Amino acid sequence: MIEKDTFFNRDLSWLGFNERVLMEAGRDQVPLLERIKFLSIYSSNLDEFYRVRMPVLMALDTLTKEKENEEAYRAAKAEIDRQQRGFGKILSENILPELLEQNIHWIYNQEMPSKLREQTGKVFFNEILAVLHPVRIDIEEKVFFAQNNRLYQIVILKDEQEKERIELVNVPSDLLPRFYQFQADGQRYVVFLDDIIKQHLEHLFPKDKITGVFNVKITRDAELRLEEELDADMAAMIEKELAKRDLGLATRFLCEPGIPLRCLYRIIYALKLEKASVVEGGVYHNLKDLGHFPLEDKALEYPGRTALNAVDIPPGKTLFEQIAEQDILIHVPYESYDPILRFFNEAAHDPAVEEVYCTLYRVANPSRIIQALISASQNGKKVTAMLELKARFDEANNIKWAAQMKAAGVKIIYSSVSFKVHAKVALLKRREGEGKKYLGLLATGNLNESTARFYTDHILLTAYEPMLKELELLFGFLGKKKKRPAEEDFIDFKHLLVAQFNLQSRFLALIDQEIQNASKGLSSGITIKLNNLEERVLIAKLYEASRAGVKVQLLVRSICCLIPGVKGQSEQIQVRRIVDRYLEHGRVFVFHNQGDEKVFLGSADWMNRNIYSRIEVCFPVYEVNLKKDLINILDLQLADNVQAVELNDHLQNITLTGKPEIRSQEAIYAFIETKLIKTSPHEEIL
């Protein structure tokens, strides 16, 4: 037995996930346009990593000077460099040649063909020139503030006296398309906005000789600095901080290779980038813009798929009546999101509904759910929305919706600065006779009809009153707007698992029960599906389960700090990661319980933030057939040998093989389609 539990570094683990995304971009089996989208996703993910996590790694390296932190920072940089080389190889050896086979010539790090000059010139003078703003770079002049994640070109010039100077020219991809299409000699060309500007820079500097042009980008720290203030206007406080977000500390200076060192140093000092990580990337940056690559061809995309009709409501009957008869579990995007929208629409117009409560984290824009809440309020119902203003990068959207709902009479609750409300729940109170009945919605994903088309999640619609009365107590606590639950706020949850109350302790107890069963020679097992696994108390308990002989199967999409397969620690633990056309997002927890499985769903990953700094809600699935469906879906995912990889004890993504080939997302759709005898597909999903 090892003396001390060991754990993966969370940031290196996350980089392993992003490598898995990159692997998908390099797979020949994936349609060409989808592979280009995976390159976009990889780039977007990496940008967020530099905005959110690199500042933390840099601070730890600088402040603590501990060897472990220094090694993590250096290892992260080395891994990113390695992946970026792989990115370039996929582009040059796979994507570009295959586009040429489609008669599409993407000008990528090549000389612009002279035959396009007239067409690109028209675009330059008619569209681009008006929004170019050259700035002279001089360390003795007033410092120019380069905006976060905006593109620039470093232009090195010599005047008529051969005196060198540097100009910074913006690449206005925030105002104009990043890619332009042209036709010439029967061939289609796709050209970067950057290259059109570069081709016509002589018109900006007609008296100078251009000796070098290099693309650069600066990434800044995205963290909001919020302080708890008595009676503070949370929306105003966050708006104030949002205005500062793009003024944050520079964490990365990404530059095209080849900038002369004398010029590079002048730029770093002039733009005050001394503390930023200088990264030589490719020729082009912000390749998340590949999500808007100008090519539309259904043959080069995933085949269309229709969302299945999970709820068959006869004419003259309501969804609420269906829920009252039995629980309904919806698996998006395989099944239509329509019942969720109908849940809120019926609530808005059902005369018997008197009160509506819900939590909102990331919502669609526009949001049909919020429109239904506004209608409910205007129809005289008491509507309360717990709107999380601190949902990273969705703050501005949520502030906008908060103002609109307030204007319509919706009561808005904001969380404390010290924790976020990440739960995905809604509660309705209906008047029936002399009493009240409850209807509830509990989900693993956001109440967001847009992401429901490509995030895999599970949504439970239930009328089970004991559980929903606990949900009512939780909304009562949230209405107090407390920093943390105090002793007088104690809620004895019997059904729900709620972070800050009982979530961690209940999960530990459930694992302990499997350990006890194994120690008695009884059947045992744990299967958990998460987005992220970091929290060490829970990981240590899984290690303990492994040492006791409990088989632990984990599906972890992204961060995984648990190290599987270590002798004396985790020999009974298997970790797999699935990346496919839909983003795996649902959190599912199954405890064998001697064959009478206990199944939970919920919003909570096992991250430090979820356990200690958020309100999360996990909930049991009691109905036997619904439990069986979830277990069958998990079994299909565990059997995946096409889109799944296995994590080894060195953090590597190990591809799987085997016959027959099982691609879980296709198999799950087929399973649900077969199960729904009265399927009436009607809605195309991505």
Side-chain angles (χ1 to χ4, degrees), residues 419 473-474 476-493 498 500-501:
F419 69 82
L473 293 173
L474 177 61
F477 166 73
L478 294 176
K480 297 177 183 178
K481 302 181 182 180
K482 289 206 171 181
K483 295 181 183 180
R484 299 277 175 182
E487 188 175 342
E488 64 269 19
D489 300 312
F490 173 76
I491 301 172
D492 186 17
F493 291 109
V498 181
Q500 312 310 314
F501 289 88

Side-chain angles (χ1 to χ4, degrees), residues 328-335 337 340 424 441-447 452 455-461 529 583-589 599-603 617 619 621 626 629-634 637 668 671-672:
I328 296 170
L329 185 60
I330 296 169
H331 313 282
V332 294
Y334 309 105
E335 296 178 310
Y337 201 69
I340 310 308
K424 326 293 186 184
L441 179 156
L442 302 99
T444 64
N446 293 304
L447 299 178
Y455 281 30
T456 70
D457 273 306
H458 311 283
I459 304 116
L460 178 69
L461 303 175
K529 180 173 183 280
L583 181 78
E584 294 293 339
H585 192 255
R587 292 90 168 179
V588 188
F589 311 85
V599 179
F600 297 83
L601 301 171
S603 63
V617 173
F619 51 94
V621 177
L626 300 184
D629 288 347
L630 284 167
I631 291 169
N632 281 329
I633 288 171
L634 280 178
Q637 291 176 319
I668 291 167
F671 164 71
I672 295 172

Side-chain angles (χ1 to χ4, degrees), residues 22 25-28 32 35-36 39 84-101 106 108-110:
L22 187 59
R27 295 180 69 226
D28 293 338
L32 179 57
R35 285 154 60 194
I36 292 173
L39 290 178
Q84 292 284 55
R85 291 193 294 274
F87 186 104
K89 186 176 181 180
I90 289 170
L91 262 175
S92 61
E93 297 183 7
N94 299 87
I95 304 297
L96 293 173
E98 290 189 38
L99 284 171
L100 273 176
E101 291 176 9
W106 180 14
Y108 193 97
N109 193 22
Q110 300 168 349

Side-chain angles (χ1 to χ4, degrees), residues 652-682:
Q652 296 167 316
N653 295 300
I654 306 301
T655 54
L656 302 170
T657 58
K659 296 291 182 181
E661 290 188 344
I662 298 174
R663 184 175 176 181
S664 59
Q665 291 188 356
E666 289 183 354
I668 291 167
Y669 183 85
F671 164 71
I672 295 172
E673 186 176 31
T674 302
K675 186 178 70 73
L676 295 173
I677 299 172
K678 294 183 179 181
T679 295
S680 54
H682 62 286

